[in-house]
Amino acid sequence: MKPRYKSARSTIAVILIVSVIAGFAVNLYKIQVRDNEYYIKQNNTVSKYIVPIEPARGEIVDRNGNSLVTNRQGNSIILNAVYFPNVKDNEQRNKIIYNLIKLFEAKGEEYAQNLPLKFDKNGHIRFDGEKQDIETMKSADMLNLQPYATAKNCYDAVLEKYEIKGYDSETALKIGNIRYELTRLLFSYENPVTIADDVSDETVARIKEDKTAYLGADVQVVAYREYVDSTIAPHILGTVRKINAEEYEEKKDKGYNITDQIGESGIEQAMESELKGTPGELTITVDKEGNITEEVTKKPIQGNTVVLTIDRDLQVLAQNKLKAVCDKVDAFSSAGAVVVEDCNNGDLLAAASYPTFDLKDYYDKYKQLSTNPRNPLWSRFALGTYAPGSTFKPVTACAALEEGIINSDTTHVCVGTKEFFGQPFKCLHGNAHGTENVRLALKDSCNMFFYNVALDTGINKIDEYASAFGLGQKTGIEIAEASGSLSSPENRENAGGIWRIGDTMLTAIGMSDNLFTPLQLTNYCSTIANGGTRYEMHLVKSVIQASTGIVNEKSKTVSDTIDLSKNTLNNVHSGMRLVATSGGPSLIFDKLNTQVACKTGTSEVIVNGVKRNNGFLITYAPYKNPEIAVSSVVELAGSGSETAEITAEIINYWYQNNTDAKTNQKTGTLL
């Protein structure tokens, strides 16, 4: 008889063997029968690569739906690592690139040349690029050279790194440019690199016809930015460009690729997250035999449509009239800006800066534009800061009236000149205005009246009201803007200066340290016009979602509310109305069918050692039920009255030729 424990052990062993065999049988069934097709695919697949498909950027339209920025389809030439020779086969890579370069040059195509090196006319290699570009080229990720490496050192390193042999120096550098571009843009299976943009159909056909000579080169249909009129609102719309290395590091976790476009300035930059769109995905599969299949597994979604507050036709009119007036003042030196705002919600209806530029050839002419002494790239309406002159006087009037320093009947006698604290002060040109109340002082722009009022009111109260009107601070607009500065003892002392009582007097008439942008002047004028509500100025009216068509309207935002009494408003409004009917601009404004109120201003500047004046004008209309505010500045104009032509054209357009648009605004049928 066998021992019992041996019998039990045998039984357990048999059970284990049967269990293992059963397990194998189940797995074999899954592999051979149930999941047969899946495992066949898995067995044949060597690798899969996901290549992002860049979406078209969203469009930009005006408040009435008129297109400003759209897209057009074009062809770019990319190198695709899936088909391109292996990284170790430099000779073959260089040969294909050489073939492409010959084709590009024969067809007049531009191609990647971002290596900051070039040969001079004597055949010597030189650096050719910005300091940052040269530093990037020498960095560990690129050529791995010391900071003191010469251009010749860099050139030799390029030839060595990419094994460029058997070509003349110029050709070798051209090949090196494209090889460098592949390294710089992280060329890989998942990241094809564009080497030529917007090429002709003939070039596309040649590449498609000869897959051997151009192995790895492919044609990609892409969306290029297109402008309905590239001269309309360039400072507002802004520009786009390829993302740089620093931006890519910051944004790669947000879905950006090293080859993506990105907004550089203006609305293109401010609304980047809305305009960018959602990338698609191209899945590339390579099986064991080297067969390659491509499938779009995720379609790209175009960026959202951004609807601006500006009126296209009004914008064009403002630009054209601004140019005409500036050229009439001084065709070689004058410049200026004009801004139009809806008084009752902060919508920016138009904003022009002159001189200006054309978005179409911005990059081609960038060096010329950036070195132009008249600064056409500078947005004078948003970034230009000016001493506002007498356009500031309504602030002083509001402060004095509200604080009870003066009333409707308070008068001061102007004899043209007067000494204050032993210093001579005078009205413009020394004119004697006689007895002036606040309304007449605004009409005549009487410095003497406001000097006396300033001494009684004090700088703290004047600044308090000026701040409430938004002067010396940003308006909240989406694009880049300057803060400017409000004249005050604190700001003067922070700058290392000393505040004197005369500065209080000068501040009251818009001088001293006051520096404001035309945007701020318009917003301030709107606040006076509507009775004391300062709205955040904005350029974006709404955003239309590309995927759903849902319209997200931007709501108006109140930045501040000034509790101005009816008496204060009546006095200031009446004074500004007198400027329009009896002051310098009256010769022009009398011809309008729409009643307006305004305030002129001048500020002295020195040009080539000669004293000249900049001219300013703030205006609102209609007088009794204000809807729009306009501010204009023309450098060297001499007086604000000279800018009235611009304002009159704008008001005439808005109320005489824009009836359809105004009806749409009231019924809410705009985009």
Side-chain angles (χ1 to χ4, degrees):
M1 183 176 179
K2 293 181 179 179
R4 182 178 296 176
Y5 74 88
K6 286 186 178 182
S7 176
R9 186 170 62 184
S10 298
T11 301
I12 292 170
V14 170
I15 292 172
L16 288 173
I17 291 170
V18 171
S19 298
V20 170
I21 292 172
F24 275 121
V26 170
N27 284 332
L28 187 62
Y29 169 78
K30 289 180 180 179
I31 293 171
Q32 295 290 341
V33 181
R34 194 186 71 180
D35 300 329
N36 178 261
E37 185 175 346
Y38 169 79
Y39 283 106
I40 288 175
K41 288 182 178 179
Q42 290 295 98
N43 186 53
N44 287 338
T45 299
V46 172
S47 54
K48 283 188 177 182
Y49 307 100
I50 306 297
V51 178
I53 303 173
E54 186 177 349
R57 286 180 72 81
E59 297 187 353
I60 303 175
V61 302
D62 84 338
R63 66 187 297 110
N64 301 307
N66 297 309
S67 294
L68 297 170
V69 186
T70 58
N71 300 293
R72 65 173 175 82
Q73 283 193 336
N75 299 307
S76 65
I77 304 302
I78 64 169
L79 286 177
N80 192 327
V82 175
Y83 305 96
F84 202 51
N86 187 278
V87 67
K88 295 180 180 179
D89 194 352
N90 279 314
E91 181 179 358
Q92 187 63 14
R93 282 191 165 197
N94 294 336
K95 182 178 179 181
I96 293 169
I97 289 172
Y98 175 58
N99 291 339
L100 287 165
I101 290 171
K102 287 193 296 182
L103 174 63
F104 293 153
E105 293 184 345
K107 301 300 179 184
E109 311 285 8
E110 294 185 3
Y111 55 91
Q113 297 189 57
N114 292 314
L115 187 63
L117 296 171
K118 74 171 184 179
F119 284 100
D120 62 22
K121 61 182 180 180
N122 297 318
H124 300 130
I125 195 72
R126 295 284 184 263
F127 289 123
D128 180 40
E130 301 295 328
K131 181 180 178 182
Q132 183 178 353
D133 297 330
I134 296 170
E135 290 175 350
T136 298
M137 175 179 63
K138 295 178 182 180
S139 67
D141 293 334
M142 302 305 293
L143 299 183
N144 194 25
L145 296 174
Q146 295 295 334
Y148 53 77
T150 65
K152 181 65 164 59
N153 294 149
C154 294
Y155 175 70
D156 291 341
V158 168
L159 300 187
E160 181 180 355
K161 180 180 179 69
Y162 302 118
E163 297 181 10
I164 304 174
K165 304 172 183 177
Y167 300 95
D168 64 79
S169 299
E170 292 278 0
T171 301
L173 183 60
K174 293 174 183 177
I175 295 171
N177 258 289
I178 293 182
R179 294 299 305 272
Y180 177 80
E181 187 77 351
L182 298 183
T183 304
R184 188 178 72 87
L185 296 182
L186 310 178
F187 183 55
S188 66
Y189 285 175
E190 293 87 355
N191 189 40
V193 168
T194 299
I195 59 171
D197 279 308
D198 210 7
V199 301
S200 66
D201 291 340
E202 189 176 354
T203 299
V204 168
R206 287 286 301 275
I207 289 174
K208 287 186 173 182
E209 288 169 1
D210 195 341
K211 292 292 185 181
T212 302
Y214 309 117
L215 184 65
D218 200 0
V219 179
Q220 188 174 60
V221 178
V222 296
Y224 292 103
R225 236 29 184 156
E226 182 87 340
Y227 304 98
V228 175
D229 183 338
S230 54
T231 65
I232 296 177
H235 298 95
I236 293 175
L237 298 178
T239 56
V240 293
R241 57 163 169 75
K242 290 292 179 77
I243 194 170
N244 62 39
E246 291 75 17
E247 291 165 336
Y248 169 65
E249 285 300 319
E250 293 175 6
K251 297 177 178 291
K252 62 183 180 182
D253 293 336
K254 298 178 181 179
Y256 281 83
N257 190 273
I258 188 64
T259 58
D260 280 352
Q261 295 273 333
I262 191 170
E264 180 182 37
S265 62
I267 288 296
E268 292 278 17
Q269 180 186 52
M271 301 301 291
E272 170 65 23
S273 60
E274 298 288 353
L275 293 167
K276 181 184 182 302
T278 304
E281 291 182 355
L282 175 69
T283 300
I284 300 176
T285 306
V286 185
D287 66 19
K288 273 189 172 182
E289 284 70 39
N291 298 313
I292 301 171
T293 58
E294 298 181 1
E295 180 185 3
V296 176
T297 49
K298 180 181 177 182
K299 291 183 178 180
I301 301 174
Q302 182 172 348
N304 299 328
T305 297
V306 173
V307 183
L308 300 184
T309 57
I310 69 171
D311 178 290
R312 182 194 62 187
D313 295 337
L314 179 64
Q315 177 69 30
V316 171
L317 181 147
Q319 290 180 193
N320 292 341
K321 193 60 184 178
L322 176 65
K323 178 184 185 303
V325 171
C326 288
D327 287 349
K328 183 167 70 173
V329 168
D330 189 327
F332 300 101
S333 301
S334 184
V338 59
V339 179
V340 188
E341 180 186 14
D342 188 318
C343 295
N344 300 307
N345 57 24
D347 281 4
L348 190 67
L349 302 174
S353 180
Y354 181 77
T356 185
F357 65 98
D358 191 328
L359 285 166
K360 180 176 60 180
D361 51 21
Y362 168 77
Y363 286 106
D364 292 336
K365 294 184 177 180
Y366 178 77
K367 187 173 183 180
Q368 175 185 340
L369 291 168
S370 62
T371 56
N372 187 323
R374 297 183 70 189
N375 297 319
L377 298 180
W378 188 248
S379 171
R380 284 171 166 80
F381 62 78
L383 298 172
T385 56
Y386 300 89
S390 295
T391 58
F392 187 85
K393 287 174 180 174
V395 174
T396 306
C398 286
L401 287 163
E402 281 299 306
E403 296 302 316
I405 306 300
I406 62 172
N407 58 39
S408 303
D409 299 322
T410 301
T411 60
H412 288 282
V413 178
C414 171
V415 295
T417 61
K418 184 179 178 179
E419 281 194 3
F420 291 88
F421 309 102
Q423 296 295 320
F425 286 80
K426 65 178 183 178
C427 269
L428 185 64
H429 308 308
N431 292 336
H433 296 115
T435 302
E436 299 270 285
N437 60 24
V438 66
R439 297 183 300 281
L440 292 175
L442 286 170
K443 183 202 78 168
D444 297 330
S445 205
C446 180
N447 290 347
M448 288 300 160
F449 180 91
F450 286 100
Y451 287 151
N452 284 290
V453 167
L455 292 174
D456 294 335
T457 307
I459 189 60
N460 290 336
K461 282 298 176 183
I462 293 173
D463 280 351
E464 179 184 324
Y465 282 84
S467 293
F469 279 115
L471 296 172
Q473 54 194 282
K474 293 183 178 182
T475 65
I477 201 165
E478 294 87 346
I479 63 176
E481 63 172 326
S483 297
S485 62
L486 177 61
S487 181
S488 71
E490 182 182 4
N491 289 340
R492 175 70 65 81
E493 289 165 9
N494 289 339
I498 300 172
W499 186 265
R500 295 179 172 84
I501 191 66
D503 286 302
T504 298
M505 298 166 62
L506 292 174
T507 296
I509 65 167
M511 304 304 288
S512 190
D513 300 332
N514 282 329
L515 292 171
F516 310 136
T517 67
L519 288 179
Q520 291 172 18
L521 291 175
T522 314
N523 207 213
Y524 143 62
C525 184
S526 286
T527 307
I528 290 176
N530 68 35
T533 302
R534 176 162 62 90
Y535 292 100
E536 181 181 274
M537 191 174 275
H538 56 274
L539 270 165
V540 177
K541 182 174 177 60
S542 61
V543 175
I544 303 175
Q545 300 294 320
S547 57
T548 63
I550 293 174
V551 180
N552 298 319
E553 294 281 350
K554 182 181 175 88
S555 59
K556 60 185 179 182
T557 301
V558 176
S559 298
D560 202 349
T561 301
I562 311 171
D563 189 15
L564 297 174
S565 68
K566 186 176 181 180
N567 178 64
T568 295
L569 291 170
N570 284 340
N571 276 284
V572 174
H573 287 176
S574 296
M576 293 178 69
R577 175 64 181 153
L578 287 172
V579 178
T581 57
S582 304
S586 63
L587 293 175
I588 292 174
F589 288 157
D590 282 349
K591 299 174 184 177
L592 292 175
N593 293 326
T594 305
Q595 292 185 343
V596 305
C598 66
K599 185 68 193 83
T600 56
T602 59
S603 62
E604 189 175 87
V605 291
I606 307 297
V607 180
N608 298 323
V610 179
K611 291 182 179 180
R612 300 186 68 175
N613 287 327
N614 292 333
F616 301 86
L617 183 66
I618 58 172
T619 309
Y620 66 82
Y623 170 60
K624 292 185 178 180
N625 185 26
E627 292 181 352
I628 66 171
V630 185
S631 77
S632 56
V633 53
V634 175
E635 298 175 17
L636 314 182
S639 72
S641 298
E642 291 189 51
T643 76
E645 288 181 37
I646 305 171
T647 302
E649 290 277 356
I650 287 169
I651 292 172
N652 183 62
Y653 164 83
W654 195 250
Y655 290 105
Q656 305 302 322
N657 302 319
N658 196 35
T659 53
D660 290 342
K662 294 304 288 181
T663 300
N664 282 340
Q665 291 171 51
K666 291 175 181 177
T667 58
T669 58
L670 296 181
L671 292 174

